[in-house]
Amino acid sequence: MLFFTQCFGAVLDLIHLRFQHYKAKRVFSAAGQLVCVVNPTHSLKYAPTRCAAAQTSTEQGILPPCHHHEAVHDPQLVPCTCPLFSCPWEGHLEVVVSHLRQTHRINILQGAEIVFLATDMHLPAPTDWIIMHSCLGHQFLLVLRKQEKYEGHPQFFATMMLIGTPTQANNFTYRLELNRNQRRLKWEATPRSILECVDSVISDGDCLVLNTSLAQLFSDNGSLAIGIAITTSKVHSSEAEI
C-alpha cells in the first residue's frame, strides 16, 4: 500500500505538471514562444550570505574578518551565484553555468523569447522560482522571489542577471511582460551582472516588483506566466512601462 501510495502521488504530480504545461502552451503557442514550467523552492539560505554580510559590515564601517586562506584568495574566483543556498563553492565565471546545472539542478531554456510559468504562487515567503535562459550566445539567470520586504506584506520580485561581467551586461536589454485578461504590464531594463549579487538587486528594488493583489490579477489558478525577451542594445536605459 505504501508503494502504491508513493507511486500514485508521483503520477498525480506528473499529471499536474503536464496540465500546467499544456495550459501555458495553449495560451502562448500562437506567439511561437517556448514555455518552461518552474516549480517553487523554499530558500534555505536566509542566514547572512557572504555578499550580504560584507555589505552590512561595510555599511557599519567594519571590515570583514581576515582569515589566512583569504590572504591567498584568487581574485578571479567568484562565489556560487545561486540565490537559493549558502553554497561554499567558488570558481571561475566560465564554469558557473555548469555548477548551477549540475549541483543545483537549475534548468536552462534556449530561445529569443520564452515564457516563464511559475507555479504555486500561494506558498508562503520566502520562496524562489529560478531558471537559466540561453540567448544571443550568453546565459542569463531569471529569479522570481516571493519575499516579505515588510512584515505581513509579501511581494514578488523578478529580475534577470547575466552570467558575465557588468561590461557584458550593459550590451543587453531584457523585457519581462505579464499579459492576462486584457491587462498588460511590462518591465524593461539592462540586466545586472551576476557578480553584483541577486540579493542586492532585490533589496534595491531595481527589478519588476508586484504586490500580492497585482500578482493575483495576472495569475491563473495559482500560476504566473512571465514572457521574457532579450535583445542587444546600444542605448542603455532602465524603465518600467505599464
Side-chain angles (χ1 to χ4, degrees), residues 178-185 217-218 242:
L178 291 83
N179 190 351
R180 185 172 181 269
N181 291 336
Q182 298 181 342
R183 298 177 178 88
R184 176 176 297 179
L185 188 147
L217 191 63
F218 285 96
I242 297 181

Side-chain angles (χ1 to χ4, degrees), residues 60-77:
Q60 296 177 349
I62 303 173
L63 293 177
C66 179
H67 301 288
H68 174 72
H69 72 275
E70 292 178 344
V72 293
H73 178 72
D74 187 345
Q76 294 184 340
L77 295 180

Side-chain angles (χ1 to χ4, degrees), residues 93 162-170 193 195:
L93 193 59
L162 172 72
I163 303 179
T165 65
T167 301
Q168 292 174 321
N170 286 334
S193 167
L195 302 177

